[in-house]
Amino acid sequence: MFRAVLLSWVSPRTLPLLATVLFQKRERKETGLYHWRREKHPYYNLTVKVLRARNIKGTDLLSKADCYVELQLPTASPTTYRTQVVDNSSDPEWNETFKYRIESAVKNILELTLFDEDVLINDELTSIVFDVGGMKPGKPLKRTFKLNPEAQEELDVEFYLEKCSDAPAEVLTNGVLAAHPCLSLQGVINKHEKSKQSEKGSCQVKLSMPGAYEKQLCIPCRPDNDQDFGTPFVFHVDKEMRSDLEVELEQTITVLQDEMSPDLEKQTILLGLGTVPVKSLPVGQKVDMTVPLGEGQSLDLTVKAEESTWDLDVRLSFDLCKEERDFLDKRKKIVSQALKKTLNFREAPGEDEVPVVAVVGSGGGTRALTSFYGSLSGLQQLSLLDCTTYLCGISGSTWCLTALYQDTDWSCKDLQGAISKARDNVSSSKAGAFSSEQLKYYFQELNSMENEGRKVSFTDLWGLFIEYFLNQKKDLSKLSDQQEAVEGAQNPYPIYAAINVRPNISGDDFAEWCEFTPYEVGFRKYGAFVRTEDFDSEFFMGRLIQKRPEPRICYLQGIWGSAFAASLDDVCLKMAGSGLSFLDSLKDVIKVIDDCRRFHLRDPTWLKTRLVIPGGPLLQIFQDFFKSRVTSGETFNFMKGLYLHKDYVNNKNFVAWKGTHLDAFPNQLTPMEDSLYLVDGGFSINSPFPLVVQPERDVDVILSFNYSWEAPFEVLQLTQKYCEELEIPFPQIILSEEDEKKPKECYMFVDHENPKAPIVLHFPLVNDTFRKYKAPGVERESEDEKSFGDFVIVGKDSPYRTLNFTFEHYDFDRLVEVNCYNVLNNKDSLLKALNLALSRRKLKKGNRQ
C-alpha cells in the first residue's frame, strides 16, 4: 500500500501547484520514525471575490433574505471571514475580496456558506465545498455555483491564484498527513503602565494567538499588586500561519442595575488593544518590548520565539514500528520450531517460509471473555498457540487478553491456572461494585483524573466498574507493562481494537479503526502512531506539548468494551435491524457538482465540488437526542495540528470517492478535531479483522472466533465489504441457507485465485457435537456427562446474555469447554490451513528467487 503511494508520488504529474521535492535519507531511529519524507512546496496567493447571489429565498416568510457569506480555509487561516449583510434582498451583491496565502503541500478546501441573518438566529442556507488545488495559476476563474437549480438560486465567486514570492515551505509527510514547523512563543508580563481609568477597578490582561493550541490566557493585574505579573505564558502555533500575539486589557467594575433596584452587576470594559508581530521576532532570542494599548497604557513583555525541530513525537509511517518488527523476527524462530512439532516435519521451515497466524476474538461481554479462554485452551492443547503470531481482541475478548498478559510467560504455561482464576472472578458477586466504599473510590479516581487535566467521561467510570468486575481490587497495570510479555517473543503479540467515531454519526457511516499494542497506539488509516506511554497526553503538530501519566489499563478496558457508548440509533439498528430511518429525511443533503472539470487540470487527487444543504435546526435537535454518544471516551487528539496532504486521496484507506462520506471533507476529518471519541469496535465490526488484514502485517491465516449473540457470520460479511472498499485481498464469504439457519463448528474460506488473501477459519459460537461428545470421538456416557453437554447458548433465559457479568461455576465451565472442544474437534481443518499457508509461503519465496 505504501509502495503504491510512494510510486504515485515520484511519478510525473501535471499538477497546477508544482512541488520541488527533496529526498532526505535518514537512519531508522529507535522510535521507529521512518517512511516519511521531507518536501518543499511553493506558496501561492489566493484571492477570493464574492460577487453576488441570485434568487435567494430566505427562511423568513414575511420579508426577503438578509444574506451574507462566510469563508473558511483552515489550512491557510484560523480566521473565519464574512461579507457584509445585504438586507432584504433576493439578489444580494457584495463584491468583497478576501486574500489567503496557501501552501500547496496540503489539501486546501475552501468552504463558502450562505446565511440568512435573522433577528433570533442566523440560518445557514447552503454551503459550497471547493477544492482550490486544481486551479491554474495566473488565470482568473469565475464560478457560478448553482445552489438550487429548480429555483435558479446561484452564487457568483471569482478566484485568482498567483505565485507567491515567499520561499517554498518545507513539510514532513507520509503521503497522507503533513507536518509544518511549529513555533512556540514563550513570554512573561513584566509591568503594566496604568491610566487613571484603569485604577478605578480590577483589570486583567487577555493574551491569544489565532490558531494556537493554547486557548486565551487571562492574567489579573489588580491595582498596586505587582505580584500578579511574572507568570510565564506559552503559545504553540503553526509557523506558516503568521499569527500575531493579541493583547487585550479589560476592566471589571461593579454598578447598580438601575435606580429602582439595589442589585449590583459586573460590567467589563475594554480599555486597550495591542499586538505583538511574532513573525518579526528573531528566532531563539529573548526580546524585551513595550506594547502600547492606547490611552496612556502599555504592557512590558519579555518574549522569545523558538522553532521546533523535525524530530516529531508522532510517528508518521504505514509500516510496523521497530519493536513489532523485532518481535516478528524473534517470533518466527519460535513458530518455526512449533510448526515442525505440530506438523511432524523432519526439519523446521525456514524463517521466510513461516506463515503469520492471527487469532481474532469478537465482542460479547463476559460471554466473550469466558469463551476466549476456551478457544485459546483448545489451541494450546493442539500446540497451535506457539504457531500464532498475533492475538487480537475487541470488547469482551480484550478483557481476557489483558488478564493473560499480566503474566509475562502465560502462553508457556498450562492455561488451566489462568482459567481457574478467571472462573473465580466471573462467578463472584458484583454487588460490591456499588458499595459506598467503591463509589467513593470511583469519585476520587475520576476527580484525580480531572485535576490532571484529562477529559473525563462516563467511559472512565465504566472502566472502573470493569476493574472491579474483573479483579475486585485496584489494578495498577498499564498497557505498556505488557512489553515484558513480548520482548522475547515468548507470547503472541497482542492488539486491542477500538474505533474513533463522531458523537452524532452512526458507526456504520463513519468509523476509524484505532489499534492499541504494548508499544504504540495509532491509526493505520492516517499512518500516525504515538508511544503507548504517551497516550492521552497532549500533542500539537506532531509534537508532545503536555505529558501526562499513562492511563491505567482499566480505563482502556472501558474504551475497548464501552457497551454503553451506543446512541439510540445504534440500539435500534442492532436490535431491530434498522436505524431511526425518519432521521434520514431530515439530515443534510450533499450533492456532488461535477460541472467544473474543464476549469481544472486532470488531477486524480482533486476533490469534486460539493453542495451541502443543511437539515436545519430540527435535525440538530433530533441528532443530539438520538445519535449523540454522551458516553464515548473523549481523549486528546494526538493528530491535532497535522494537515491532510494534497495527495491523501491516493491512499486506499480513504473512501473519498463516496460522495457523502466524511473522507471527502478533509476539513472535517480527525486531524482537524480537538478530541478523539473512542468506543467499542463492535459498533462497526464486532471482530478486529481490520487490524490484521492490513498488508503491513502480511497475515496468512486468520482464526476467527465469533462470540456474538446472534448473526454468526455478520462479522465476515462486514469484513468482506470493508476489504472490497479498501481493495484489501479477502476471500469471498459464500454460505448456504442451511449454514445460516444451523451453523457448524468451523468454516474455512480460501481465495484460490489470489494467494495474497488470507485463509480464514471461522468458529461460530455453537453447541453442536459437544452435546454428544465430551472429547473428539469420545461419547458421553453418564447422565451427568450428557446433562453437562446438553445446553442452549442463545435464548432469552440463557445465563450468557451480554449484560450478564456473573456466571455460576457450572455455566462458566460449560462455556469454556464447548469452545475448547470446537477447536479440538476441528484439528484437521486447522492443520490443513497451516499446510496451505506454508505452501503459499514457499511458492512466494520461489518466485522471489
Side-chain angles (χ1 to χ4, degrees), residues 491-530:
N491 302 300
Y493 196 79
I495 309 174
Y496 304 89
I499 55 171
N500 180 50
V501 296
R502 293 299 166 83
N504 60 350
I505 298 180
S506 167
D508 289 340
D509 295 331
F510 182 77
E512 297 177 327
W513 286 86
C514 180
E515 61 182 58
F516 292 74
T517 75
Y519 294 104
E520 282 192 331
V521 178
F523 295 87
R524 205 154 293 279
K525 172 180 179 177
Y526 295 100
F529 301 87
V530 295

Side-chain angles (χ1 to χ4, degrees), residues 385-491:
L385 199 52
D386 287 339
C387 301
T388 300
T389 300
Y390 292 108
L391 280 185
C392 195
I394 202 169
S395 193
S397 292
T398 66
W399 304 346
C400 170
L401 293 182
T402 52
L404 288 173
Y405 278 87
Q406 288 185 350
D407 184 343
T408 58
D409 297 299
W410 69 268
S411 69
C412 307
K413 303 174 183 177
D414 190 332
L415 272 178
Q416 293 309 308
I419 292 173
S420 178
K421 182 179 179 181
R423 180 177 184 254
D424 292 339
N425 287 332
V426 169
S427 61
S428 64
S429 171
K430 307 301 185 293
F434 306 97
S435 67
S436 58
E437 183 179 350
Q438 278 298 115
L439 293 176
K440 180 181 178 181
Y441 163 69
Y442 301 152
F443 174 79
Q444 291 173 339
E445 287 292 308
L446 297 178
N447 189 55
S448 175
M449 290 178 63
E450 198 166 33
N451 290 337
E452 291 176 357
R454 297 185 187 274
K455 299 177 184 288
V456 179
S457 68
F458 183 84
T459 300
D460 299 306
L461 176 59
W462 173 233
L464 292 172
F465 278 116
I466 293 175
E467 177 186 55
Y468 185 87
F469 292 167
L470 300 182
N471 304 285
Q472 282 79 52
K473 62 180 181 180
K474 186 172 183 176
D475 181 6
L476 296 175
S477 65
K478 301 178 178 65
L479 179 55
S480 63
D481 295 339
Q482 296 182 13
Q483 293 174 8
E484 294 183 34
V486 293
E487 61 184 1
Q490 67 270 41
N491 302 300

Side-chain angles (χ1 to χ4, degrees), residues 334-375:
I334 295 173
V335 172
S336 176
Q337 294 300 318
L339 287 172
K340 175 186 176 183
K341 175 183 176 182
T342 303
L343 300 178
N344 295 315
F345 288 162
R346 288 185 178 180
E347 296 181 357
E351 292 179 17
D352 54 352
E353 299 173 355
V354 171
V356 176
V357 179
V359 173
V360 296
S362 80
T366 308
R367 180 181 65 251
L369 176 150
T370 306
S371 297
F372 210 11
Y373 276 109
S375 301

Side-chain angles (χ1 to χ4, degrees), residues 108-127:
N108 293 293
I109 303 293
L110 175 66
E111 297 181 26
L112 299 155
T113 306
L114 181 66
F115 285 89
D116 178 12
E117 185 175 68
D118 190 69
V119 176
L120 299 177
I121 187 172
N122 293 344
D123 291 326
E124 181 181 340
L125 300 179
T126 188
S127 276

Side-chain angles (χ1 to χ4, degrees), residues 145-390:
F145 297 108
K146 299 183 183 301
L147 309 180
N148 185 345
E150 295 179 1
Q152 295 185 328
E153 293 183 344
E154 297 176 334
L155 176 66
D156 290 344
V157 184
E158 189 173 82
F159 303 92
Y160 184 71
L161 191 71
E162 63 180 348
K163 291 183 178 180
C164 179
S165 60
D166 292 347
E170 190 170 20
V171 299
L172 189 150
T173 181
N174 61 4
V176 167
L177 294 177
H180 285 162
C182 180
L183 193 73
S184 66
L185 181 70
Q186 308 159 28
V188 63
I189 300 176
N190 299 319
K191 186 180 178 183
H192 167 218
E193 291 294 336
K194 310 178 184 67
S195 66
K196 291 183 179 180
Q197 183 181 2
S198 67
E199 294 175 355
K200 296 178 182 179
S202 61
C203 297
Q204 66 176 358
V205 176
K206 288 187 176 180
L207 303 174
S208 61
M209 287 187 74
Y213 181 78
E214 293 77 11
K215 307 303 179 185
Q216 191 176 63
L217 302 179
C218 297
I219 301 175
C221 49
R222 290 160 290 188
D224 304 321
N225 189 358
D226 291 335
Q227 291 182 354
D228 288 330
F229 299 114
T231 302
F233 62 85
V234 63
F235 288 95
H236 294 85
V237 69
D238 186 344
K239 179 189 174 188
E240 309 304 333
M241 287 290 183
R242 298 187 166 187
S243 298
D244 288 336
L245 177 66
E246 298 178 355
V247 183
E248 296 181 20
L249 180 64
E250 291 183 348
Q251 181 184 45
T252 303
I253 59 175
T254 304
V255 297
L256 288 172
Q257 288 187 359
D258 54 58
E259 295 180 358
M260 304 297 294
S261 172
D263 294 335
L264 301 175
E265 69 174 8
K266 291 185 177 181
Q267 293 183 354
T268 300
I269 303 173
L270 181 63
L271 297 180
L273 290 170
T275 60
V276 175
V278 177
K279 55 181 172 288
S280 64
L281 294 176
V283 176
Q285 297 180 23
K286 284 187 177 181
V287 177
D288 295 321
M289 61 172 55
T290 299
V291 182
L293 302 177
E295 298 187 4
Q297 303 203 80
S298 62
L299 206 63
D300 287 351
L301 302 176
T302 299
V303 294
K304 181 181 179 182
E306 291 278 7
E307 186 175 333
S308 62
T309 68
W310 284 114
D311 287 329
L312 301 187
D313 300 302
V314 176
R315 183 173 72 91
L316 297 181
S317 172
F318 296 95
D319 203 350
L320 307 177
C321 69
K322 178 182 182 299
E323 293 81 3
E324 185 173 345
R325 290 184 288 109
D326 289 344
F327 167 88
L328 292 174
D329 291 340
K330 297 173 185 176
R331 188 67 180 175
K332 286 177 183 178
K333 297 180 174 64
I334 295 173
V335 172
S336 176
Q337 294 300 318
L339 287 172
K340 175 186 176 183
K341 175 183 176 182
T342 303
L343 300 178
N344 295 315
F345 288 162
R346 288 185 178 180
E347 296 181 357
E351 292 179 17
D352 54 352
E353 299 173 355
V354 171
V356 176
V357 179
V359 173
V360 296
S362 80
T366 308
R367 180 181 65 251
L369 176 150
T370 306
S371 297
F372 210 11
Y373 276 109
S375 301
L376 294 176
S377 177
L379 292 176
Q380 187 181 63
Q381 292 180 44
L382 293 177
S383 299
L384 292 178
L385 199 52
D386 287 339
C387 301
T388 300
T389 300
Y390 292 108

